Amino acid sequence: MTPRGVGEDDHARFERPRRRTRPRTKIRPDYSDAVVGMVITIDRGRYTCLVDDHEVTAAKARQLGRKGVIVGDRARLVGDVSGDEGTLARVVEVLDRQTVLRRTADDDDPYERPIVANADQLVIVTALADPQPRTGMIDRCLVAGYDAGLDPLLCLTKADLASPDELIAMYGPLDVPIEITSPGADLDSLRERLAGRRSVFVGHSGVGKSTLVNALIPDANRSTGSVNEVTGKGRHTSTAAYALQLPPIDPSTSSGPSSAEPGEGPGWVIDTPGVRSFGLSHVSRDRIVAAFDDLERFVADCPRGCPHDTGAEDCGLDAAVERGDLSAARLESFRRMITTDQ
């Protein structure tokens, strides 16, 4: 006889609780009515976003991933978007990006590092001396800019220390606009090129990026540094990318018509930390050729897999030069750019 209270059904009381069988919902939250802001800087997991005319500090939703938000992104925010001290919103969605400027640590690195989103102009800042200009760095920045669909602008600083003639001769054939500055110089021409644009400043440390930003935007207060006397290289001062809105151009001091389109405002400048290298493992040469309208039509005559560099057999670019359809100086500048070392 089975003792009272003991049986098969009694052991069921000690079974592990069963998992919930209710399926997960496939309905995702709708953030279409969330506030949209522009990410202007990122610091230790906190995202500063400009919403209307005030700044909002936000955290990032887990589903966006570790690198899902970068400076320049337009993002949807929920939570407290008042911007009051001690409040925290949450970035829940990133809107489609028009452009993304990327680099890799070196040419063997398979991992892309997005730098800035939604810029339309790449300002390559290079000192003419102290530190000495490195054309390899300029060329690599140009390649990354063309690949991202950005319009390049070469800004040569410290013209009081050295002549810009050599660099002008090197990059003139590529039709890259060039601005030349020196301490205390009039920046109206540069301001007009920046007006109405979203411009990202890149370059080595010590070339004067942050100094330029402070001159263009007096209340920017970007940190500036000096050049190491032993290595001849700049010291890192800016530690994070930061987007700043330019003040309106004063028509009474402007030397020419502004390039800003109606309704676009005075433009934005995105200051980035100085970089020592600019890897291009994410870029293909064919994509670079496609950025040059006058070159792309000639590569259709190239054999499959043509590298387009010096010595390439039956390259359509060489044939175009022989026919007189393409400037030899322009082709030489292009080839130097796509085969450059650091």
Side-chain angles (χ1 to χ4, degrees):
M1 182 175 178
T2 304
R4 185 177 178 183
V6 178
E8 293 182 2
D9 292 339
D10 293 286
H11 292 289
R13 293 177 300 171
F14 301 101
E15 290 181 359
R16 200 182 285 265
R18 296 183 179 180
R19 291 185 178 181
R20 295 178 62 183
T21 57
R22 182 178 178 184
R24 291 183 179 181
T25 178
K26 293 184 179 180
I27 300 175
R28 296 290 182 262
D30 181 7
Y31 297 122
S32 58
D33 293 332
V35 170
V36 175
M38 174 184 171
V39 180
I40 58 176
T41 194
I42 303 170
D43 182 23
R44 290 169 291 184
R46 291 293 180 259
Y47 299 77
T48 302
C49 306
L50 186 67
V51 176
D52 295 328
D53 58 353
H54 65 279
E55 295 182 3
V56 174
T57 301
K60 174 173 59 64
R62 182 178 300 177
Q63 70 266 19
L64 293 179
R66 188 166 64 92
K67 297 182 180 179
V69 185
I70 58 178
V71 171
D73 272 330
R74 296 181 66 247
R76 299 189 191 276
L77 299 96
V78 299
D80 193 332
V81 294
S82 65
D84 294 340
E85 185 176 356
T87 61
L88 188 67
R90 185 161 55 102
V91 178
V92 293
E93 188 175 79
V94 173
L95 303 186
D96 290 342
R97 295 165 176 165
Q98 295 178 337
T99 62
V100 183
L101 178 64
R102 299 179 173 91
R103 75 179 181 96
T104 55
D106 54 55
D107 287 346
D108 296 324
D109 185 359
Y111 299 104
E112 298 179 11
R113 290 163 172 76
I115 303 173
V116 168
N118 298 319
D120 58 30
Q121 182 167 240
L122 176 65
V123 182
I124 305 167
V125 184
T126 300
L128 291 167
D130 192 33
Q132 292 298 314
R134 289 169 59 185
T135 56
M137 181 66 173
I138 298 173
D139 293 339
R140 285 172 169 266
C141 290
L142 283 172
V143 169
Y146 286 127
D147 180 69
L150 308 184
D151 296 329
L153 170 63
L154 181 58
C155 184
L156 305 178
T157 63
K158 306 183 184 182
D160 56 317
L161 301 180
S163 169
D165 293 346
E166 184 177 352
L167 290 181
I168 291 174
M170 292 179 70
Y171 294 99
L174 288 174
D175 294 333
V176 177
I178 298 176
E179 287 289 330
I180 302 169
T181 71
S182 58
D186 186 352
L187 297 178
D188 283 349
S189 177
L190 177 60
R191 286 190 179 94
E192 289 169 8
R193 290 193 182 277
L194 301 175
R197 311 294 300 268
R198 291 195 177 198
S199 304
V200 52
F201 282 33
V202 299
H204 286 303
S205 298
V207 297
K209 296 188 307 299
S210 296
T211 299
L212 267 181
V213 171
N214 288 335
L216 293 164
I217 310 170
D219 58 353
N221 296 321
R222 297 295 283 164
S223 298
T224 59
S226 58
V227 175
N228 188 304
E229 294 181 0
V230 176
T231 65
K233 296 180 179 180
R235 296 183 175 91
H236 291 279
T237 50
S238 301
T239 57
Y242 206 112
L244 298 144
Q245 192 166 26
L246 290 161
I249 293 178
D250 184 352
S252 64
T253 61
S254 175
S255 60
S258 169
S259 61
E261 295 295 331
E264 288 190 350
W268 287 84
V269 163
I270 304 172
D271 187 20
T272 64
V275 294
R276 298 199 186 280
S277 63
F278 216 103
L280 298 172
S281 63
H282 62 294
V283 179
S284 72
R285 290 189 181 181
D286 285 339
R287 296 211 320 244
I288 302 308
V289 175
F292 294 87
D293 293 338
D294 62 328
L295 302 184
E296 186 180 21
R297 59 194 177 101
F298 299 127
V299 300
D301 300 327
C302 291
R304 179 185 289 272
C306 179
H308 312 307
D309 56 11
T310 302
E313 188 175 355
D314 297 326
C315 180
L317 297 176
D318 288 316
V321 171
E322 292 175 3
R323 294 193 305 268
D325 295 334
L326 178 64
S327 162
R330 184 168 176 81
L331 178 57
E332 181 182 355
S333 295
F334 171 77
R335 282 178 166 165
R336 188 196 66 250
M337 180 181 68
I338 64 172
T339 58
T340 183
D341 294 324
Q342 289 284 0

